[in-house]
Amino acid sequence: MKTAYSLVALLVILIGISCEKEIELNDELTKPKIVVNSFYSANDTLKVHLSESRSVLHNDWDPLPNIENATVTLFSNGTKIGTLSHESGGNYILTNPFPVSGQSYLLDVTHSTLDDVKTESTCPKAIEIMALDTSRTQDRFSLKFTIEDDPNTNNYYSIEILKTIITEYETSPGVFKIDTITQPSWICTNDINAETNSDPTGETCQEKLFFNDAGFNGSNYQFHISTDIYQSSQLIVIVKSINEELFKYRKSLQLYGETNGNPFGEPVQVYSNIENGIGIFSGYSEATKTIEF
């Protein structure tokens, strides 16, 4: 019987060895590429961060090395706007001129050892928050506001709320200190145009909500959202008009976060609009409203 068990064990080992297959990674998966990250807004300094990609075998916990010796140039309609200056840590800036709403920009990045990359993006037109209505129930705050959607383009939007929390505590007998913290607030909606996952009740709750105008193109559309205001003294409502590239990037990034590490989940490719490289270059315009309590 012992001999039989030994033969079975040997057979399993031989099968395991015969089933091993060495997978060779091609150059596309191992060759470093320029990684571009830039979310720029109208009437503000253009900022771009550059880093160097690593292969699929790279440890996810190790940060990508910064690129500090590239030449980064911005163009619009074939005309050179300016060359970005490197500050530190792979961060490049262009302080003048500021991006303009409705204008298209091309970013060109050259490097001595890495393949050059380029990307193009349009800064969406500015939007306005109209007819803001609010209501409150205990620590829950509901908001309704309207925007005018442009009928001539496919429009995309994101909504977020920052809340200011004030806490007072005693540092020593009779001595009190006040701390003020501003942090993202979890917001919810039942809007069928929300592009995030819903729970069984049909409500979507995220730190950022994303919408496209497929269901309300060209109309004055009213958003309904709610958030908690526990210990809050102020809410800052931020509505961004974003372009399709940023919409796809945020949506794919969210799906990636939800499936990463799940052995049964479908692999998700994070969207990139960088030609010959990786990353995102995308503009946005924003409108804000501040609500004091």
Side-chain angles (χ1 to χ4, degrees), residues 239-250:
V239 183
K240 294 181 179 180
S241 176
I242 62 179
N243 55 36
E244 186 176 9
E245 291 86 1
L246 182 52
F247 178 80
K248 290 180 177 179
Y249 172 78
R250 290 294 190 187

Side-chain angles (χ1 to χ4, degrees), residues 2-244:
K2 184 176 180 181
T3 303
Y5 281 130
S6 300
L7 290 174
V8 171
L10 179 60
L11 181 61
V12 170
I13 294 173
L14 291 174
I15 292 174
I17 295 175
S18 64
C19 291
E20 287 183 358
K21 182 178 181 181
E22 186 173 321
I23 300 175
E24 295 184 3
L25 298 178
N26 59 39
D27 289 342
E28 287 299 315
L29 295 176
T30 59
K31 183 180 179 181
K33 294 184 178 182
I34 294 176
V35 181
V36 179
N37 275 292
S38 176
F39 305 106
Y40 66 91
S41 64
N43 305 315
D44 199 1
T45 300
L46 178 69
K47 300 177 182 180
V48 176
H49 182 265
L50 299 181
S51 56
E52 186 177 316
S53 73
R54 287 294 180 261
S55 75
V56 295
L57 300 178
H58 178 71
N59 187 346
D60 288 342
W61 296 105
D62 294 336
L64 298 179
N66 297 318
I67 297 176
E68 302 182 347
N69 57 342
T71 300
V72 185
T73 311
L74 187 70
F75 298 86
S76 181
N77 296 324
T79 302
K80 180 179 176 179
I81 302 298
T83 301
L84 282 69
S85 302
H86 179 257
E87 286 191 312
S88 62
N91 294 301
Y92 297 75
I93 66 168
L94 181 66
T95 56
N96 185 47
F98 290 157
V100 177
S101 294
Q103 190 72 42
S104 181
Y105 294 96
L106 184 144
L107 191 74
D108 183 83
V109 182
T110 60
H111 191 269
S112 58
T113 59
L114 300 172
D115 291 340
D116 300 342
V117 303
K118 63 181 179 179
T119 177
E120 190 168 5
S121 175
T122 299
C123 188
K125 295 181 180 179
I127 57 173
E128 179 184 358
I129 299 175
M130 305 181 295
L132 176 65
D133 294 321
T134 62
S135 60
R136 177 175 179 174
T137 304
Q138 294 182 339
D139 288 328
R140 200 73 193 167
F141 199 73
S142 298
L143 303 92
K144 295 188 295 185
F145 58 89
T146 304
I147 63 166
E148 183 179 359
D149 185 74
D150 184 355
N152 299 314
T153 59
N154 294 326
N155 300 295
Y156 304 87
Y157 304 97
S158 71
I159 299 175
E160 59 188 296
I161 293 179
L162 302 179
K163 65 179 178 180
T164 302
I165 300 175
I166 297 178
T167 57
E168 183 180 11
Y169 56 94
E170 191 173 15
T171 58
S172 60
V175 179
F176 294 87
K177 183 178 180 181
I178 296 177
D179 278 347
T180 302
I181 303 173
T182 300
Q183 63 185 30
S185 182
W186 203 252
I187 53 179
C188 299
T189 186
N190 287 308
D191 195 317
I192 61 173
N193 295 294
E195 289 286 340
T196 44
N197 290 336
S198 300
D199 66 16
T201 67
E203 187 175 52
T204 296
C205 296
Q206 299 286 345
E207 283 190 357
K208 290 185 181 181
L209 297 174
F210 293 90
F211 303 80
N212 71 60
D213 68 349
F216 55 88
N217 183 46
S219 65
N220 286 357
Y221 191 72
Q222 187 177 69
F223 294 99
H224 297 243
I225 61 175
S226 65
T227 187
D228 77 274
I229 52 173
Y230 178 68
Q231 292 185 319
S232 300
S233 64
Q234 182 188 75
L235 294 182
I236 302 174
V237 184
I238 304 172
V239 183
K240 294 181 179 180
S241 176
I242 62 179
N243 55 36
E244 186 176 9

